[in-house]
């Protein structure tokens, strides 16, 4: 479904943004100005490269889903793993962005429908947006919500610059873990998983194929895929700065978050209403509520398309879309009964793990095509270390002693890198033999 480039950009931006550049940035700001460094470097050298290349490879492969593209470059075994892993991640995303906004709306309306009433309303919207063609609902609503999210970020930026706020500086002595419990939440790797969508996120690789099917010409790929990620990084920077400045400093942010159950939704609501006034309240509804909902619906949409790709199941008739969609919604609804914090933590780790696999796939593509592969190899190695160390340290993981986790994480990273190079050597040899034959 060809769409105007500006509309594709805004849909892509809203698809990938969700709660990430707001909630993730606020939670990441609790570590201090180190968050600024990760957002900038992560966005430019990891996230934007990841989003651009995954989107363009999908476009070059007739709009294939990311799991199928992984199969092309990393083989059938990893493709089967990625099919399952990606669908599970998307269901996590849909669940997180079902309960999260429902909690926010319930708080804003003083329990008018109750939490489960709003969950039902959002779920009904998800059903419609997942089943209807992209030009019927998504292409009409998303540009409005995307613009609202950008205006909210611009408003916060202007208030920070011209208001009586002091943003902590990015100087060497501030590049330390400023959380109130630094021993329990080490800067590495926790920060690099906490701030995901504002720096790099595997979820984006599931969304880029949706927009690759809507581009009129591949020359617009850089402005859409790379541009949307850089825009999201800027939004994350603004929210991280606002969180540190609004509560006076990083210590004040940590203190207030602790008093309110580390609820990033509360902090986002306080910041937008107090820094932007009544106008901020309207933008808060559109930005803080609509953004996660519009990521949740495209998560289910992506899951439906991936499952249809796997089984080669035609999706032209709405009844056939229902056959795939309804089980996905049923699973997500069951998951809403689990503690939201647990679902969020597993989503965060699996999200970064997916990004890591995609980076390795992109590296394989660049090597085989004799292109500049280090632009993805370096972030692939770094993110492998992040994900392996995180699952060893984290409460939902193996809860290992930190030094041991770092050593084992380095060993895992080395082994994965070695296996990758052996695979590439084998694939290049096979390609050479085939070419010679």
């Amino acid at each position: 479904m060809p769409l105007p480039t500006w509309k594709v950009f805004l849909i892509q931006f809203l698809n990938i943004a969700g709660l990430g550049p707001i909630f993730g940035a606020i939670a990441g700001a609790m570590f201090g100005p180190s968050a600024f460094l990760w957002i900038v470097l992560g966005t430019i050298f990891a996230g934007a490269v990841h989003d651009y290349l995954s989107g363009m490879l999908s476009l070059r492969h007739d709009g294939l889903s990311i799991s199928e593209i992984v199969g092309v470059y990393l083989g059938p075994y990893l493709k089967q793993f990625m099919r399952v892993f990606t669908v599970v991640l998307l269901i996590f995303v849909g669940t997180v962005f079902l309960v999260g906004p429902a909690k926010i709306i319930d708080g804003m309306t003083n329990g008018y429908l109750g939490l489960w009433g709003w969950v039902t309303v959002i779920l009904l919207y998800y059903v419609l947006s997942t089943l209807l063609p992209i030009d019927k609902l998504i292409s009409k609503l998303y540009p409005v919500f995307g613009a609202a999210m950008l205006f909210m970020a611009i408003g916060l930026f202007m208030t920070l610059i011209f208001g009586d706020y002091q943003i902590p500086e990015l100087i060497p002595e501030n590049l330390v873990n400023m959380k109130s419990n630094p021993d329990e939440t080490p800067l590495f790797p926790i920060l690099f998983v906490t701030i995901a969508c504002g720096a790099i996120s595997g979820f984006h690789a599931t969304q880029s194929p949706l927009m690759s099917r809507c581009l009129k010409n591949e020359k617009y790929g850089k402005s859409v895929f790379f541009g949307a990620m850089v825009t999201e990084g800027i939004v994350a920077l603004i929210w991280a700065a606002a969180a540190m400045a609004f509560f006076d400093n990083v210590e004040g942010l940590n203190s207030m978050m602790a008093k309110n159950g580390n609820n990033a939704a509360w902090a986002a609501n306080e910041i937008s209403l107090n820094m932007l006034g009544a106008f901020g309240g309207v933008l808060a509804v559109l930005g803080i509520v609509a953004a996660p909902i519009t990521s949740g619906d495209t998560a289910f949409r992506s899951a439906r398309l991936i499952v249809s790709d796997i089984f080669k199941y035609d999706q032209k008739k709405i009844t056939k879309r229902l056959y795939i969609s309804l089980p996905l919604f049923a699973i997500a609804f069951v998951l809403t009964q689990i503690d939201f914090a647990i679902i969020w933590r597993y989503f965060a780790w699996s999200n970064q793990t997916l990004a890591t696999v995609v980076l390795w796939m992109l590296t394989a593509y660049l090597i085989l095509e004799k292109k500049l592969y280090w632009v993805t190899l370096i972030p692939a190695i770094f993110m492998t270390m992040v994900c392996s160390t995180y699952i060893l340290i984290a409460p939902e993981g193996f809860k290992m002693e930190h030094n041991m986790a770092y050593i084992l994480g380095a060993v895992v990273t080395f082994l994965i890198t070695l296996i990758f190079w052996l695979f590439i050597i084998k694939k290049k040899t096979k390609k050479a033999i085939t070419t010679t034959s």
Side-chain angles (χ1 to χ4, degrees), residues 65 68 83 87 213 301-315 320-321 324 328:
S65 301
E68 307 306 298
R83 283 173 166 178
V87 172
R213 303 175 186 193
R301 189 181 189 88
S302 298
R304 173 175 68 81
L305 293 171
I306 290 171
V307 173
S308 68
D309 283 348
I310 294 170
F311 296 103
K312 304 291 188 292
Y313 195 67
D314 182 72
Q315 293 288 281
K320 291 190 174 182
R321 295 175 213 159
I324 295 177
L328 298 175

Side-chain angles (χ1 to χ4, degrees), residues 208-224:
S208 293
L210 296 179
M211 291 300 98
S212 73
R213 303 175 186 193
C214 300
L215 281 175
K216 292 181 178 179
N217 192 305
E218 67 174 33
K219 69 181 180 181
Y220 302 124
K222 191 172 184 180
S223 59
V224 169

Side-chain angles (χ1 to χ4, degrees), residues 2-42:
L3 294 173
T5 307
W6 67 269
K7 191 173 279 191
V8 177
F9 171 85
L10 282 173
I11 295 172
Q12 171 73 1
F13 169 66
L14 206 58
N15 277 356
I16 67 175
L19 292 170
I22 301 175
F23 287 16
I26 292 171
M30 295 169 70
F31 286 89
S34 300
F36 294 144
L37 205 57
W38 168 231
I39 291 170
V40 173
L41 297 179

Side-chain angles (χ1 to χ4, degrees), residues 42-86:
T43 293
I44 297 171
F45 297 108
V49 173
H50 167 278
D51 291 12
Y52 171 68
L53 286 173
S54 60
M56 292 304 290
L57 276 185
S58 176
L59 192 152
R60 293 282 179 93
H61 288 82
D62 299 321
L64 273 184
S65 301
I66 194 63
S67 56
E68 307 306 298
I69 301 172
V70 167
V72 173
Y73 295 102
L74 294 182
Y77 296 114
L78 204 53
K79 177 173 75 173
Q80 299 303 335
F81 167 78
M82 282 292 287
R83 283 173 166 178
V84 176
F85 189 84
T86 305

Side-chain angles (χ1 to χ4, degrees), residues 214-434:
C214 300
L215 281 175
K216 292 181 178 179
N217 192 305
E218 67 174 33
K219 69 181 180 181
Y220 302 124
K222 191 172 184 180
S223 59
V224 169
F225 300 124
F226 203 98
M229 182 61 236
V230 170
T231 304
E232 184 179 8
I234 293 169
V235 171
L237 276 175
I238 293 169
W239 274 98
M244 294 183 207
F246 177 73
F247 296 103
D248 295 330
N249 50 42
V250 179
E251 185 181 351
L253 169 63
N254 276 281
S255 175
M256 292 305 295
M257 286 289 281
K259 289 178 182 177
N260 290 275
N262 289 318
N263 186 350
W266 168 84
N269 200 38
E270 286 292 306
I271 291 168
S272 57
L273 288 175
N274 285 280
M275 292 183 72
L276 298 177
F279 180 61
V282 176
L283 291 178
V285 172
L286 290 175
I288 299 174
V289 175
I293 291 176
T294 50
S295 288
D297 62 10
T298 49
F300 285 117
R301 189 181 189 88
S302 298
R304 173 175 68 81
L305 293 171
I306 290 171
V307 173
S308 68
D309 283 348
I310 294 170
F311 296 103
K312 304 291 188 292
Y313 195 67
D314 182 72
Q315 293 288 281
K316 289 180 181 178
K317 291 184 178 179
I318 199 165
T319 51
K320 291 190 174 182
R321 295 175 213 159
L322 269 172
Y323 291 150
I324 295 177
S325 301
L326 288 179
L328 298 175
F329 291 129
I331 294 169
F333 186 78
V334 170
L335 287 175
T336 60
Q337 310 304 307
I338 300 173
D339 181 15
F340 178 77
I342 294 173
I343 294 291
W344 178 267
R345 289 198 298 267
Y346 279 111
F347 152 68
W349 176 79
S350 57
N351 183 37
Q352 297 302 68
T353 302
L354 176 59
T356 304
V357 175
V358 172
L359 285 169
W360 283 117
M361 179 273 290
L362 297 173
T363 305
Y365 160 75
L366 293 173
I367 291 173
L368 295 172
E369 292 296 318
K370 298 179 180 178
K371 297 181 185 293
L372 220 57
Y373 62 84
W374 57 266
V375 296
T376 53
L377 176 62
I378 293 173
I381 293 172
F382 177 76
M383 291 306 297
T384 302
M385 183 67 181
V386 167
C387 293
S388 55
T389 309
Y390 180 89
I391 201 64
L392 293 170
I393 285 179
E396 63 272 21
F398 294 95
K399 304 178 186 178
M400 282 189 179
E401 190 271 326
H402 295 178
N403 289 333
M404 179 59 69
Y406 293 139
I407 293 169
L408 287 178
V411 170
V412 170
T413 302
F414 172 77
L415 290 175
I416 289 175
T417 306
L418 179 63
I419 292 168
F420 173 80
W421 279 112
L422 292 174
F423 171 81
I424 289 297
I425 291 169
K426 183 178 178 182
K427 191 152 186 168
K428 287 175 74 175
T429 305
K430 187 177 179 181
K431 185 178 180 181
I433 293 171
T434 305

